[in-house]
Amino acid sequence: MTIHPGETVALVGRNGAGKSTLVKLLCRLYKPDNGRILINGVDIWDIPLNQYYNLLSVIFQDFQLLPILLSENITSKTRCRVNASDEAAVREALEKSDMLRWTEALPHGIHTPMTRLLSEDGAVPSGGQEQKLAIARAVYHKGSFMIMDEPTSALDPRSEEQVFSQMRDITQKHTAMFISHRLSSTRHADRIFVLDEGKLIAEGSHETLMEQEGLYRRLYLAQAEQYAADESETN
């Protein structure tokens, strides 16, 4: 598998195909039993950990927002260390993740506490809003390689489509990889990698893979039929 600089790629496959495992390998949470992962020809395990993590902006399925200020959640800095430049970057990241208007309506703006665990006037975002804040945190970090493992799983299909339609802007000047359980979002990727039982079995654009009688086409059509059925029932 080769990912080119500035490219946006998607990982798809059945449950248990190895998508999240691959992400954890890329993040050095697992060490490969065999084979290597290279960045510009350098094994990632030969790069000092702090330097390597500076290259990554990652959103996991099980992200956490802490009961501290929103600005502290985004910047990973205490309030006294958040300067005017940081505040501008936080607002830019929130705008890209479609959360700036919500944030500006809070009692203390970007410095509003998250949850009411430690503050009575803390903000209580919905599950979908929490995911968008996690996306903003990854955008703020400005790692050159952005990895999104099911970044929109708590969003409804309409909101997910909105996020992925902004993918080009969100990942501008980044190399990006995302996993989504809704294959309708994969058409926003430059290339799609199809995994099955821990192996790469196909790659190409959405159009190319739809022309083939393979797993991607079967999964995509099965989801399309389900969405059509759900819409019919709703109407």
Side-chain angles (χ1 to χ4, degrees):
M1 177 185 294
T2 300
I3 303 171
H4 306 293
E7 189 175 33
T8 297
V9 301
L11 292 182
V12 303
R14 300 185 180 97
N15 290 337
K19 303 183 296 294
S20 292
T21 300
L22 178 57
V23 166
K24 290 172 182 175
L25 286 165
L26 288 169
C27 294
R28 285 178 52 169
L29 300 180
Y30 299 155
K31 193 163 187 175
D33 295 321
N34 53 67
R36 296 191 299 165
I37 301 173
L38 309 177
I39 290 185
N40 294 334
V42 179
D43 193 310
I44 64 172
W45 287 88
D46 293 334
I47 302 173
L49 188 60
N50 287 341
Q51 292 182 26
Y52 183 65
Y53 279 170
N54 283 335
L55 300 174
L56 305 180
S57 286
V58 186
I59 308 167
F60 290 111
Q61 295 182 53
D62 52 351
F63 66 88
Q64 293 291 328
L65 293 178
L66 302 176
I68 54 180
L69 303 185
L70 187 152
S71 57
E72 294 174 327
N73 268 288
I74 300 295
T75 64
S76 298
K77 296 180 180 180
T78 57
R79 174 67 179 90
C80 62
R81 295 180 57 223
V82 176
N83 57 34
S85 177
D86 294 325
E87 291 180 350
V90 168
R91 290 189 174 91
E92 180 183 0
L94 289 168
E95 184 173 16
K96 288 186 175 181
S97 65
D98 194 35
M99 285 297 290
L100 182 59
R101 183 180 299 180
W102 178 84
T103 302
E104 290 179 336
L106 297 176
H108 308 289
I110 64 172
H111 302 301
T112 300
M114 289 291 95
T115 79
R116 293 177 183 158
L117 182 63
L118 301 178
S119 176
E120 291 184 356
D121 62 350
V124 184
S126 66
Q129 289 169 334
E130 286 185 348
Q131 283 200 302
K132 289 185 177 182
L133 290 174
I135 292 172
R137 181 162 57 193
V139 171
Y140 173 88
H141 186 58
K142 294 183 178 179
S144 56
F145 186 20
M146 183 173 287
I147 302 173
M148 303 181 184
D149 186 1
E150 299 279 10
T152 56
S153 60
L155 303 181
D156 59 73
R158 188 183 300 272
S159 297
E160 182 183 52
E161 173 64 22
Q162 180 185 22
V163 168
F164 280 113
S165 66
Q166 297 171 327
M167 181 67 72
R168 293 296 181 188
D169 186 38
I170 291 174
T171 61
Q172 190 175 16
K173 299 180 181 179
H174 295 74
T175 304
M177 169 186 287
F178 70 88
I179 300 172
S180 176
H181 63 289
R182 296 190 185 106
L183 297 188
S184 59
S185 61
T186 58
R187 66 182 185 276
H188 296 291
D190 297 315
R191 277 191 302 149
I192 301 163
F193 294 112
V194 185
L195 302 183
D196 193 36
E197 297 183 353
K199 296 180 179 180
L200 175 64
I201 63 169
E203 65 176 273
S205 66
H206 169 74
E207 292 74 17
T208 299
L209 292 173
M210 286 299 290
E211 291 173 356
Q212 303 171 7
E213 295 294 334
L215 177 61
Y216 178 83
R217 176 182 168 86
R218 294 197 299 273
L219 292 175
Y220 187 90
L221 293 178
Q223 285 196 3
E225 289 177 1
Q226 182 61 51
Y227 290 148
D230 291 344
E231 185 175 351
S232 177
E233 291 177 2
T234 301
N235 294 334

